[in-house]
């Protein structure tokens, strides 16, 4: 009854949110996710009823996060900021906080992963994550999150890891629809030279993001232990669920069901290719 596109703006019990990861930004958003354990659907719920009254950000609560959690939640935050910035619902307010978030997150993610006790990096990640949450709450997420929810629900993959698996290829699909915006994102996150032409920065950002996910050892679908036949059989229903969420409608290029299915298959195939190249190099 309450899943998107239904919006619940009625008053709710006051919540003070204290995040212990730097990723979801949910301490500052009007969104929540509830998983239907029978259908394995991750249902998006929207409205002011889900918005906390206040948030307390203390980066010291994130210092003990292990590498995998730091990387996956950090990439989730990057997705929030970048998707808000390229969304069809982007606006001057969301642009400002999204840009600030991308600058913080892009500059701190690797340090937070490699030097987990680095307080400055942890603080930047936590602030960037909150800013990214504010950004997409006032804009929207797009195709990455639309595809991530059914993938995570179907195969029990942590949400941030799902986004990281999807990030490079979905960005490659989308970049041509918002060249200037993706070029801005690449510069803000330090993924290209400041003087790079917009078209070069936008077309190169998928490879730069692939390097980020590879450096942070994000597993492939196959590496996570998913059976290929079961995955490919699930693709049509996952594509339908992704589109039904509404998020892909805000993407710079709005995909068809066929295109979403093709992207899921491509992400599997690219993962197999990455494994083969790794084995050859070894």
């Amino acid at each position: 009854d309450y899943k998107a596109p239904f919006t619940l703006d009625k008053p709710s019990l006051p919540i003070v949110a204290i995040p212990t990861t730097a990723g979801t930004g949910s301490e500052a958003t009007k969104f929540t996710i509830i998983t239907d354990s029978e259908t394995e659907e991750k249902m998006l719920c929207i409205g002011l009823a889900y918005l906390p009254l206040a948030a307390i950000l203390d980066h010291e609560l994130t210092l003990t996060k292990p590498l995998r959690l730091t990387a996956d939640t950090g990439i989730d935050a990057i997705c929030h900021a970048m998707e808000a910035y390229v969304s069809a619902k982007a606006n001057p307010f969301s642009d400002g906080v999204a840009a600030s978030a991308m600058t913080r997150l892009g500059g701190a993610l690797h340090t937070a992963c490699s030097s987990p006790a680095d307080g400055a990096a942890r603080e930047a990640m936590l602030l960037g994550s909150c800013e990214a949450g504010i950004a997409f709450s006032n804009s929207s997420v797009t195709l990455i999150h639309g595809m991530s929810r059914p993938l995570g629900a179907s195969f029990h993959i942590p949400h941030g890891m799902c986004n990281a698996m999807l990030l490079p290829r979905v960005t490659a699909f989308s970049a041509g629809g918002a060249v200037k915006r993706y070029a801005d994102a690449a510069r803000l996150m330090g993924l290209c030279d400041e003087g790079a032409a917009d078209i070069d920065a936008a077309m190169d950002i998928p490879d730069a993001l692939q390097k980020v996910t590879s450096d942070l050892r994000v597993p492939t679908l196959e590496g996570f232990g998913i059976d290929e036949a079961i995955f490919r059989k699930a693709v049509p229903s996952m594509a339908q669920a992704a589109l039904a969420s509404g998020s892909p409608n805000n993407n710079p290029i709005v995909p068809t069901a066929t295109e979403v299915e093709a992207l899921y298959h491509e992400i599997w195939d690219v993962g197999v290719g990455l494994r083969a190249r790794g084995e050859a190099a070894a």
Side-chain angles (χ1 to χ4, degrees):
D1 292 341
Y2 294 100
K3 73 177 183 179
F6 181 83
T7 300
L8 183 64
D9 285 332
K10 295 181 180 179
S12 64
L13 292 174
I15 297 171
V16 176
I18 306 174
T20 56
T21 67
T24 68
S26 57
E27 70 276 6
T29 76
K30 58 182 180 181
F31 302 99
T32 194
I33 299 292
I34 297 174
T35 300
D36 185 327
S37 58
E38 293 184 2
T39 65
E40 296 189 331
E41 177 187 3
K42 279 191 172 183
M43 298 178 291
L44 173 65
C45 300
I46 304 172
L48 296 176
Y50 308 109
L51 180 66
L53 178 67
I56 298 173
L57 305 181
D58 182 354
H59 76 273
E60 291 188 2
L61 298 177
T62 70
L63 290 174
T64 57
K65 287 169 58 181
L67 170 62
R68 184 75 273 135
L69 186 61
T70 299
D72 294 343
T73 56
I75 293 174
D76 185 25
I78 284 174
C79 290
H80 290 156
M82 187 172 72
E83 288 179 90
Y85 193 74
V86 303
S87 167
K89 293 183 178 179
N91 56 76
F93 176 75
S94 64
D95 283 353
V97 282
S100 179
M102 284 188 279
T103 300
R104 292 186 198 275
L105 297 166
L109 178 59
H110 281 287
T111 302
C113 290
S114 61
S115 302
D118 189 307
R122 290 293 195 181
E123 182 178 56
M125 291 301 297
L126 190 59
L127 289 174
S129 170
C130 185
E131 287 178 321
I134 293 170
F136 85 79
S137 195
N138 287 276
S139 173
S140 73
V141 288
T142 57
L143 182 55
I144 294 170
H145 270 75
M147 292 179 64
S148 178
R149 294 186 203 102
L151 178 61
S154 297
F155 296 101
H156 307 290
I157 308 170
H159 173 68
M161 185 182 291
C162 270
N163 287 340
M165 291 172 169
L166 294 161
L167 175 60
R169 302 321 308 158
V170 175
T171 301
F173 171 83
S174 307
V179 169
K180 177 65 167 66
R181 294 241 153 196
Y182 279 104
D184 289 345
R187 295 187 188 98
L188 288 164
M189 291 188 286
L191 299 177
C192 70
D193 293 334
E194 280 292 325
D198 285 350
I199 188 64
D200 293 333
M203 294 302 105
D204 289 347
I205 193 173
D207 288 340
L209 292 170
Q210 184 66 68
K211 185 177 187 305
V212 170
T213 59
S214 295
D215 288 348
L216 297 180
R217 301 195 291 278
V218 174
T220 64
L221 292 167
E222 181 185 41
F224 189 76
I226 297 171
D227 179 84
E228 179 178 4
I230 295 174
F231 172 79
R232 295 201 188 273
K233 184 178 180 181
V235 162
S237 62
M238 290 195 299
Q240 290 300 323
L243 293 173
S245 74
S247 298
N249 290 334
N250 303 313
N251 205 56
I253 297 175
V254 178
T256 64
T258 300
E259 288 172 324
V260 176
E261 289 184 24
L263 277 169
Y264 277 127
H265 288 300
E266 181 182 352
I267 288 158
W268 180 279
D269 295 338
V270 167
V272 172
L274 289 171
R275 174 180 56 78
R277 287 197 291 276
E279 290 174 352

